[in-house]
Amino acid sequence: MNNNATDRKTQELVLTGLMACAVFVATCFIKVPVLNGYVHPGDALIYISAIMLGKKYGAAAGGIGGALADIMGGYAVWAPWTFVIKALMGFTAGLIIEKFAARKKETGNRFVITAADVIAMVAGSVINCGGYFLGNSVMYGGIAAGIAAMPGDIIQDAMGIGFGLVLEVALVKTPLGRKSLA
């Protein structure tokens, strides 16, 4: 492995750790109570992880950060569910964004929000809502529990998309945003 490959791998691992920490902090410490739970900006940071780092490292940052937030926030029973759901969110969003990255480079707008970015966030939100619907249904004894939790999940997903898009716009104006690793 040459130095450039080693440097890139080190950057990816460090940024993945930093993004996992950011997801954890934003999920565990920035909470707004709603309906049957709370909303937080952690999902937006999962999307930013996927945009910056791609599907593999975006999945790692989302899964690890989200699960740690559940463990530290008093919801440890949810940590395995959250790990899988948030990792799938990051992976799916990263996959969609990577599929369209070549098109962005060709047109010269790699660092502007495109339909692919919005589609990636919506797809991640569908996974989030569906995953927690399944989790609530299994853990609380039926589909009615999953349905009851959905309004709060939909609010969380809308906030994640909105805040994710705002963060993406802000990020593209920074040196880090212009040197995305994905």
Side-chain angles (χ1 to χ4, degrees):
M1 193 182 285
N2 64 32
N3 277 346
N4 286 341
T6 303
D7 290 347
R8 182 172 173 82
K9 181 62 86 179
T10 301
Q11 282 183 326
E12 289 170 338
L13 291 173
V14 169
L15 283 173
T16 301
L18 288 171
M19 290 308 295
C21 182
V23 170
F24 162 72
V25 169
T27 303
C28 196
F29 299 111
I30 306 172
K31 299 178 182 178
V32 177
V34 296
L35 304 174
N36 57 340
Y38 65 91
V39 296
H40 55 81
D43 291 351
L45 292 168
I46 293 171
Y47 299 135
I48 297 302
S49 298
I51 290 165
M52 284 176 37
L53 300 167
K55 63 183 181 261
K56 183 169 67 168
Y57 293 110
I64 292 167
L68 285 174
D70 277 355
I71 292 166
M72 296 300 293
Y75 304 97
V77 69
W78 280 99
W81 287 96
T82 295
F83 179 82
V84 171
I85 293 165
K86 300 303 182 182
L88 284 173
M89 283 174 65
F91 184 86
T92 302
L95 179 66
I96 291 168
I97 290 165
E98 285 176 12
K99 292 292 182 192
F100 288 92
R103 200 172 294 168
K104 282 184 177 182
K105 286 179 189 174
E106 288 171 11
T107 61
N109 15 326
R110 180 171 180 208
F111 301 109
V112 297
I113 295 174
T114 65
D117 299 330
V118 176
I119 291 167
M121 292 181 194
V122 169
S125 293
V126 168
I127 288 169
N128 188 58
C129 197
Y132 282 110
F133 168 80
L134 180 62
N136 278 298
S137 296
V138 169
M139 291 183 61
Y140 297 119
I143 292 174
I147 292 170
M150 286 187 85
D153 292 337
I154 291 168
I155 292 169
Q156 170 61 39
D157 292 329
M159 182 181 163
I161 292 169
F163 194 50
L165 292 172
V166 168
L167 282 175
E168 185 177 4
V169 168
L171 183 65
V172 299
K173 297 175 191 238
T174 69
L176 182 61
R178 287 190 294 276
K179 293 182 356 181
S180 176
L181 297 173

